[in-house]
Amino acid sequence: MDTHAEPEQTRPDTIVSGPPIRRLFRDVIADRMPGRRPPQAVMLFGSKTDPCWDDRSFLTDFYNEILHQDTCQPATADGLALVVALALDERTPARQRFQAVDLLFSAATVAERHLAETWPATPQHADPDSEARARSAVQAHVPHLLGRWPAECPAVRLALAGLAVVFPTDRTLPALTPRLRTFTHQHPQGTDIGDYVRFVLVLAAQDGDRILAATENLTDAHWTGTARGVPIRARALHVLGQMLTKVGTGLTRVPAGP
């Protein structure tokens, strides 16, 4: 008689669940990525959880596992597939969809934003290959993400607009102008959202002189400055990243949408 016993497989319902947002994320990823998953998925499917996790602390740890302290590592590009899946799924709450798109923006602009911060020195933790792979990973999914615009709530549309101008095309400005018209009507210049959407439209126009002027004006008025020798795209994305963060902070104080 064969007395060898196969290792007992952990049943899904025996996995320690952790906070509610972890359970929801796990369900989304299980449905959208039924095959091989990136290594960061262990934070969703692993049997060990941090007993101190609540929704907020889990999200911080999960996002940091993918984009560690705002730097790209060799596994970052693969991990972004999890973020895209969460951003595309209606089951993900609007606030977390906003955070997912915001993280994709950050991953796609790491190189430029850090260059703007450290110019003329090389960013201390720069990994050009990993940064390029992360940028390409995000770019591959931008059409699918923007395709959700009609179904998205206003908060997520703001994040999508920022992502759109990271990868501008000849159709970016014609598409964004009508899509952002409601925001420009409701949020005047001088407000966080009003300034953000107007700067997005300037970037979408791809006019170097206008981008430089807007970047200078916004930096002088509100935002952390960068050296004038920094390439203008890097300076502009550095400012846009700050603005998107500020918009997101404001959204935590009001309902983000359904």
Side-chain angles (χ1 to χ4, degrees):
M1 182 174 64
D2 183 6
T3 59
H4 175 72
E6 292 292 330
E8 184 177 352
Q9 298 298 311
T10 302
R11 293 174 51 188
D13 58 0
T14 66
I15 295 176
V16 178
S17 295
I21 197 66
R22 180 180 186 259
R23 298 196 297 271
L24 188 149
F25 278 18
R26 187 174 66 230
D27 290 345
V28 170
I29 298 303
D31 290 344
R32 285 187 168 266
M33 302 178 68
R36 186 175 181 180
R37 304 182 183 105
Q40 296 92 334
V42 72
M43 291 196 66
L44 304 177
F45 294 91
S47 59
K48 295 181 179 179
T49 63
D50 187 332
C52 296
W53 272 343
D54 56 15
D55 279 359
R56 182 185 296 272
S57 58
F58 167 75
L59 288 169
T60 298
D61 288 351
F62 178 67
Y63 294 143
N64 190 59
E65 187 74 11
I66 296 170
L67 187 65
H68 182 64
Q69 297 181 2
D70 199 34
T71 59
C72 290
Q73 299 178 339
T76 297
D78 292 338
L80 292 172
L82 298 170
V83 183
V84 171
L86 294 167
L88 290 172
D89 200 286
E90 285 286 351
R91 289 170 291 179
T92 305
R95 196 175 310 284
Q96 278 70 56
R97 294 200 307 275
F98 177 95
Q99 292 171 349
V101 178
D102 186 20
L103 183 68
L104 294 171
F105 172 92
S106 296
T109 60
V110 162
E112 290 100 339
R113 291 184 296 103
H114 289 187
L115 177 66
E117 292 169 0
T118 63
W119 181 273
T122 300
Q124 183 178 0
H125 300 292
D127 182 342
D129 182 62
S130 294
E131 291 162 1
R133 290 182 61 241
R135 177 181 170 83
S136 295
V138 176
Q139 185 173 15
H141 293 286
V142 167
H144 303 97
L145 291 160
L146 293 179
R148 276 194 49 82
W149 186 285
E152 271 299 358
C153 67
V156 180
R157 289 178 180 179
L158 289 170
L160 288 172
L163 190 61
V165 295
V166 176
F167 304 102
T169 69
D170 291 340
R171 295 182 296 176
T172 304
L173 180 61
L176 283 179
T177 300
R179 288 180 169 185
L180 294 177
R181 186 171 292 123
T182 298
F183 290 104
T184 57
H185 288 166
Q186 293 180 350
H187 301 276
Q189 191 167 354
T191 63
D192 291 339
I193 293 177
D195 285 350
Y196 171 80
V197 295
R198 286 167 175 80
F199 191 42
V200 163
L201 291 172
V202 169
L203 294 176
Q206 302 184 68
D207 182 321
D209 290 338
R210 289 184 61 201
I211 292 172
L212 176 60
T215 301
E216 294 279 1
N217 290 338
L218 288 166
T219 298
D220 290 343
H222 301 292
W223 306 102
T224 301
T226 50
R228 283 184 164 80
V230 177
I232 184 55
R233 174 180 167 85
R235 293 187 69 193
L237 291 179
H238 183 265
V239 173
L240 188 66
Q242 294 179 73
M243 298 176 82
L244 182 57
T245 297
K246 184 73 176 295
V247 167
T249 300
L251 294 173
T252 64
R253 297 192 291 268
V254 297

